[in-house]
Amino acid sequence: MATLNDVAKKANVSKMTVSRVINHPEQVTDELKQLVYQAMEELDYQPNIAARALANNRTQVIKVFIMEEMDTTEPYYMNLLTGIANELDKHAYSLQLVTRRNLQVGRCDGFIVCGMREEDYELIGKLDKPTVLFGENVHGYDYVDSKNQEGIETATEYGISLGYETLLYIGIDVDEPFELSREKGYINQMEAHGKEPMIYRFENHSRYSAKFIKENWGLFRKNTLFICSSDRLAIGIQRGLHEAGASMPDDYGIIGHDGIFLDQIAHPQLTTMKQFVMEMGAECARLVVKKIEKNGAPQGNVRYDTELIERETTRKKPEDSGRLKKHAKKRTRTK
């Protein structure tokens, strides 16, 4: 059976370098990692993960705690979990999905927490391992999220550039940082263009936004754009407009937010602000592994741009679209 020394000789590097590639790949150049990985593959070398974990008093397990009720019909969390799992696998960690009922079952080395609300921070504060949140927060936890304010600013600016006279914001009825940031983006652009902000909030289900259109149809003049905080809400708006016989996108437009499957199956397909959820999941995994390696030291926050995806629920204006799009997958780290 191949040994660490065999891999070092095959890759023409030191034994210490091989150990660093296995245990701390973030400290090694891509070129060195490629040499060592190739040697390991050729020699069929398998690191003894269990022995390493035992020596470091670790479990090689990360618990992912989703605090809101998951809708299994929407692939948002599946994209997130796939990104987390793929990245953890690179660092020889396993993912354990937990709920409030089994949070204390089994040991782990760290937590990734998703879907939290303000009332959940008392419980989050009791977590005794390095913790990273998926989502903005004002409690000082390291987090990964989209640039929520900037994304809705882009959507609002784009809608104004298309000539829509009235722009309504359809938000999620929660007083949470991500939603407040999105609303702020809408308000900033409306005020910058001398327009009056109009905000309506609903639970994040399409039936509520569809009902809103049905019950208030007489209020919506032609040349109106609905900017929505989620694709779910946007689909409800779309259904309500369709049932009212409205013409889209010339008389009424819609911009959603998320870009995770629902925007593509909608008819017509939704213009939306796409979040890079799988990539953000991987970033959560990278941050929590770094926190573990640094004995829980803060690693800062990482925020990803959203990207404007132009489809069939807004008018076309090709000459302006390139200027307004965000750079895909660009991320910003703050301490």
Side-chain angles (χ1 to χ4, degrees):
M1 187 169 59
T3 66
L4 202 69
N5 282 328
D6 296 330
V7 174
K9 290 179 182 178
K10 184 75 173 178
N12 196 28
V13 297
S14 69
K15 182 179 176 180
M16 183 178 295
T17 297
V18 176
S19 178
R20 190 174 291 117
V21 168
I22 295 172
N23 295 299
H24 303 286
E26 72 282 357
Q27 299 177 5
V28 184
T29 66
D30 290 339
E31 183 180 0
L32 275 177
K33 281 190 284 191
Q34 185 61 35
L35 285 172
V36 172
Y37 289 152
Q38 184 175 343
M40 291 170 62
E41 184 176 356
E42 292 177 3
L43 295 171
D44 194 26
Y45 174 78
Q46 301 295 326
N48 192 332
I49 301 301
R52 187 180 80 191
L54 185 62
N56 293 328
N57 193 30
R58 291 180 184 164
T59 64
Q60 298 304 121
V61 171
I62 300 296
K63 290 187 179 184
V64 178
F65 189 9
I66 300 179
M67 305 192 77
E68 66 179 338
E69 182 179 349
M70 286 194 296
D71 186 340
T72 56
T73 65
E74 185 178 346
Y76 186 94
Y77 274 117
M78 283 307 301
N79 277 266
L80 180 70
L81 292 172
T82 298
I84 293 172
N86 288 343
E87 185 64 27
L88 289 180
D89 187 59
K90 297 177 184 178
H91 302 275
Y93 274 93
S94 297
L95 178 157
Q96 180 184 348
L97 186 61
V98 298
T99 65
R100 292 174 186 270
R101 290 188 299 275
N102 67 356
L103 180 60
Q104 301 301 331
V105 176
R107 297 171 58 234
C108 70
D109 298 332
F111 291 93
I112 297 172
V113 183
C114 319
M116 56 278 167
R117 296 292 183 257
E118 188 62 32
E119 62 268 20
D120 297 319
Y121 283 95
E122 181 178 355
L123 177 57
I124 294 172
K126 296 178 181 178
L127 301 179
D128 59 354
K129 300 292 182 181
T131 299
V132 170
L133 307 189
F134 176 64
E136 287 186 57
N137 73 95
V138 295
H139 296 274
Y141 290 95
D142 295 340
Y143 72 81
V144 178
D145 203 348
S146 295
K147 294 181 180 179
N148 292 298
Q149 177 179 330
E150 293 89 334
I152 295 298
E153 284 179 348
T154 295
T156 307
E157 181 187 0
Y158 179 64
I160 292 171
S161 78
L162 295 179
Y164 289 106
E165 181 62 28
T166 303
L167 291 87
L168 306 181
Y169 181 79
I170 308 299
I172 300 172
D173 193 17
V174 290
D175 288 325
E176 299 295 336
F178 78 92
E179 178 59 34
L180 297 177
S181 291
R182 292 176 191 177
E183 291 181 12
K184 184 177 180 181
Y186 165 76
I187 293 170
N188 284 352
Q189 282 301 310
M190 292 292 283
E191 291 180 345
H193 288 271
K195 293 181 174 292
E196 179 182 356
M198 289 177 283
I199 297 175
Y200 300 88
R201 285 173 149 208
F202 305 98
E203 190 175 336
N204 192 25
H205 292 286
S206 61
R207 63 180 179 272
Y208 296 115
S209 51
K211 182 181 178 182
F212 169 68
I213 295 295
K214 182 178 181 180
E215 294 181 348
N216 298 277
W217 176 237
L219 300 178
F220 310 124
R221 297 178 297 177
K222 291 183 178 181
N223 206 19
T224 291
L225 175 69
F226 297 87
I227 300 173
C228 303
S229 186
S230 74
D231 287 343
R232 277 189 178 190
L233 291 174
I235 285 177
I237 295 293
Q238 186 180 46
R239 186 163 67 245
L241 292 176
H242 177 75
E243 291 175 355
S247 174
M248 293 178 283
D250 291 329
D251 291 339
Y252 298 91
I254 309 169
I255 300 178
H257 189 285
D258 286 336
I260 310 294
F261 184 65
L262 292 181
D263 56 310
Q264 299 176 56
I265 64 171
H267 182 73
Q269 291 188 335
L270 282 171
T271 294
T272 192
M273 299 303 302
K274 179 179 176 60
Q275 297 192 84
F276 294 95
V277 176
M278 194 174 297
E279 290 82 353
M280 289 192 290
E283 193 68 49
C284 287
R286 282 191 287 269
L287 278 189
V288 77
V289 169
K290 287 180 181 179
K291 288 198 75 160
I292 293 166
E293 297 296 336
K294 300 295 183 181
N295 298 315
Q299 298 301 305
N301 309 317
V302 181
R303 301 192 308 137
Y304 278 71
D305 282 334
T306 51
E307 182 183 9
L308 175 64
I309 306 296
E310 302 164 273
R311 292 204 177 97
E312 299 169 341
T313 58
T314 50
R315 301 164 180 163
K316 301 299 181 185
K317 194 175 181 183
E319 64 271 21
D320 283 349
S321 60
R323 176 178 62 84
L324 290 166
K325 283 188 179 180
K326 293 287 187 181
H327 297 290
K329 303 182 187 179
K330 180 180 178 183
R331 46 184 194 154
T332 303
R333 179 184 294 274
T334 57
K335 289 292 186 180

